[in-house]
Amino acid sequence: MKFLAFAWWTGIQDRMPSVFDPSEQYQTHLEAIDPRLTPGVRTLARDVNMHDGELTRLAVSPIDRSATLRVRTWGEATPATIEIRDQGVAAFELLTNGRDGLPGPGGMGDIRYYEVDIVNDGFTHRILCSTGVELHVAFRDVEVLTVDDAA
């Protein structure tokens, strides 16, 4: 993660008052890059709330250069399931620190934070899970859909 890193997240869990909060820095960065975002990337960055969501499916297709992430979100009013369909995937990386996961559900854990950024001639989104797993996807564009939870 570039802004909302795991070290910061674990620091605030310990109620460390001296830990710098990067949220405002990330929002300023997002505003600066906004004119360069495609409508799909802007939707992912501004309108999707994955905080405390659960990654229930991840599929990567090297042939189609695509990645699909299915996330059960908890939204403002009611739970919903969304699919994030990355197109033109150039890189996919899954990282773990292997030591310092936070208490919570199994699997990838809860999604704590996510970032959208510009890289090279495309975009990236980074997802930080409570287990310490980070997921990075570099892509050209994205589509975000609400889907039937049973699908």
Side-chain angles (χ1 to χ4, degrees), residues 60-67 86-89:
V60 178
S61 173
I63 294 169
D64 296 333
R65 294 188 60 214
S66 67
D86 297 319
Q87 302 144 10
V89 172

Side-chain angles (χ1 to χ4, degrees), residues 74-148:
W74 302 109
E76 288 76 37
T78 58
T81 298
I82 60 169
E83 275 192 2
I84 300 166
R85 297 178 181 174
D86 297 319
Q87 302 144 10
V89 172
F92 178 88
E93 187 174 24
L94 190 67
L95 308 168
T96 179
N97 73 16
R99 304 178 307 278
D100 301 320
L102 299 173
M108 298 282 280
D110 288 337
I111 294 173
R112 292 301 178 206
Y113 293 97
Y114 58 96
E115 304 171 343
V116 172
D117 205 354
I118 294 175
V119 292
N120 303 322
D121 59 348
F123 306 97
T124 186
H125 59 94
R126 304 174 193 100
I127 298 173
L128 173 62
C129 298
S130 62
T131 56
V133 171
E134 284 188 33
L135 174 66
H136 300 189
V137 183
F139 60 97
R140 301 279 296 170
D141 206 354
V142 65
E143 181 180 25
V144 180
L145 304 169
T146 301
V147 296
D148 181 357

Side-chain angles (χ1 to χ4, degrees), residues 12-33:
I12 65 171
Q13 295 309 299
D14 293 335
R15 310 277 191 254
M16 294 173 54
S18 63
V19 174
F20 169 74
D21 183 352
S23 301
E24 189 172 311
Q25 183 183 17
Y26 175 62
Q27 288 305 317
T28 300
H29 176 72
L30 200 53
E31 289 170 16
I33 66 172

